């Protein structure tokens, strides 16, 4: 092979590495300039960002108000039902009729949306929590149990609001769970709480003697 060809091949081989080197650099380096953008598609287009000015309108605002007379879609619910509070006070009583159907719906929705973290019984021991414990990353805020004194004392409106807007590190679920279902879940959380602190008085009279026997047996085995 002629020497000049060898040199040419060597140069080409080195040059071929250049794009790779540039890509590798681009992946780690930062630059104040916008990145090279060969095909624009619709990535850049004229628009007004939220809260910016728009000279097209007389009031100069880019964000427009709904046209007067606009009607909301869906069901309109009273403010207390939608927020879980009356003025600044949390509601103490669930503002929709609570029946077996609502509780069953609440159980179903709870098991879907809350149990992964809070656990099926509400002790804050769902699969997500158990996995976080195993990872031991040290950055995880433990999931709250619903059976502490504090949690039991929470008004229903507080729980409703926790679902709607999140609470401390817990994310909000208002966008995924409709208002009616949120109250169903609140009712179920209350039922869970009651189930873990039940007394003999919560049981129908006719089955109490039977239960008392069982409780004594249980005490005997402890
Ligand atoms: C992704 C995990 C996760 C899911 C899903 C989740 N939670 Fe939570 N929840 C948490 C964590 C974590 C906390 C504690 C937050 C903190 O203390 O910073 C918490 C706290 C709460 C509290 C506050 C307790 C208190 O007394 O302050 C309530 C009420 C609550 N959750 C209800 C619910 C309900 C109802 C659902 C289902 C709609 C739900 N959560 C779904 C993680 C979750």
């Amino acid at each position: 092979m002629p020497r000049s060809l060898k040199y040419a091949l060597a140069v080409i081989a080195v040059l071929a590495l250049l794009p790779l080197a540039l890509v590798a650099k681009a992946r780690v380096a930062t630059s104040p300039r916008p990145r090279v953008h060969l095909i624009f598609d619709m990535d850049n287009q004229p628009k007004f960002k939220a809260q910016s000015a728009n000279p097209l309108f007389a009031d100069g605002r880019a964000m427009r108000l709904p046209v007067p007379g606009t009607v909301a879609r869906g069901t309109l619910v009273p403010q207390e039902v939608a927020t879980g509070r009356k003025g600044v006070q949390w509601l103490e009583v669930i503002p929709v009729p609570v029946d077996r159907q609502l509780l069953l719906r609440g159980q179903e929705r709870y098991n879907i949306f809350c149990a992964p973290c809070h656990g099926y019984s509400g002790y804050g021991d769902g699969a997500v929590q158990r996995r976080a414990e195993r990872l031991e990353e040290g950055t995880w805020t433990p999931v709250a149990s619903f059976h502490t004194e504090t949690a039991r004392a929470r008004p229903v409106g507080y729980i409703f609001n926790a679902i709607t807007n999140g609470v401390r590190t817990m994310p909000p679920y208002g966008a995924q769970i409709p208002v009616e279902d949120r109250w169903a879940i609140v009712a179920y959380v209350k039922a869970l709480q009651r189930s873990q602190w039940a007394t003999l008085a919560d049981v129908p009279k006719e089955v109490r003697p039977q239960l008392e026997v069982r409780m004594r047996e249980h005490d005997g085995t402890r």
Side-chain angles (χ1 to χ4, degrees):
M1 198 189 291
R3 180 172 278 195
S4 59
L5 189 61
K6 275 190 196 163
Y7 282 140
L9 281 178
V11 168
I12 288 171
V14 169
L15 285 180
L17 294 175
L18 212 65
L20 291 178
L22 285 176
V23 168
K25 176 179 173 286
R27 285 177 64 94
V28 292
T30 55
S31 159
R33 278 176 301 156
R35 66 173 99 183
V36 180
H37 205 147
L38 293 183
I39 300 167
F40 283 98
D41 286 333
M42 292 194 291
D43 292 350
N44 297 314
Q45 44 185 309
K47 63 169 178 271
F48 290 94
K49 294 206 164 156
Q51 310 291 353
S52 61
N54 183 344
L56 180 68
F57 297 104
D59 63 4
R61 294 194 288 188
M63 292 169 76
R64 310 308 304 157
L65 293 170
V67 177
T70 302
V71 177
R73 287 179 59 177
T75 332
L76 273 177
V77 291
Q79 180 138 26
E80 286 170 25
V81 178
T83 60
R85 62 183 133 205
K86 189 184 176 86
V88 294
Q89 291 288 317
W90 297 121
L91 295 188
E92 300 277 350
V93 178
I94 296 177
V96 296
V98 178
D99 53 15
R100 185 177 166 77
Q101 207 191 331
L102 188 86
L103 276 174
L104 287 175
R105 174 77 180 168
Q107 178 180 43
E108 190 213 20
R109 296 289 106 179
Y110 175 92
N111 288 348
I112 293 169
F113 285 106
C114 321
C117 290
H118 287 276
Y120 287 102
S121 323
Y123 280 97
D125 56 354
V128 173
Q129 169 66 30
R130 280 180 280 131
R131 167 113 176 112
E133 275 167 20
R134 219 167 331 135
L135 290 178
E136 290 180 352
E137 285 174 333
T139 48
W140 175 252
T141 306
V143 177
S145 164
F146 295 136
H147 306 302
T148 59
E149 287 289 335
T150 329
R152 277 163 17 92
R154 298 290 194 202
V156 289
Y158 176 93
I159 304 174
F160 179 88
N161 183 68
I163 305 175
T164 312
N165 298 314
V167 51
R168 300 184 300 274
T169 53
M170 181 185 132
Y173 288 91
Q176 291 100 312
I177 310 177
V179 167
E180 179 79 5
D181 282 349
R182 273 177 252 159
W183 284 116
I185 292 175
V186 171
Y188 185 67
V189 168
K190 281 282 145 197
L192 275 182
Q193 290 180 332
R194 183 134 183 215
S195 76
Q196 301 303 299
W197 291 70
T199 63
L200 213 52
D202 289 313
V203 179
K205 264 207 181 71
E206 51 291 3
V207 290
R208 278 183 211 168
Q210 210 182 324
L211 207 64
E212 273 170 332
V213 174
R214 296 267 293 275
M215 282 163 80
R216 267 198 299 276
E217 280 171 9
H218 184 72
D219 282 345
T221 57
R222 261 202 291 218

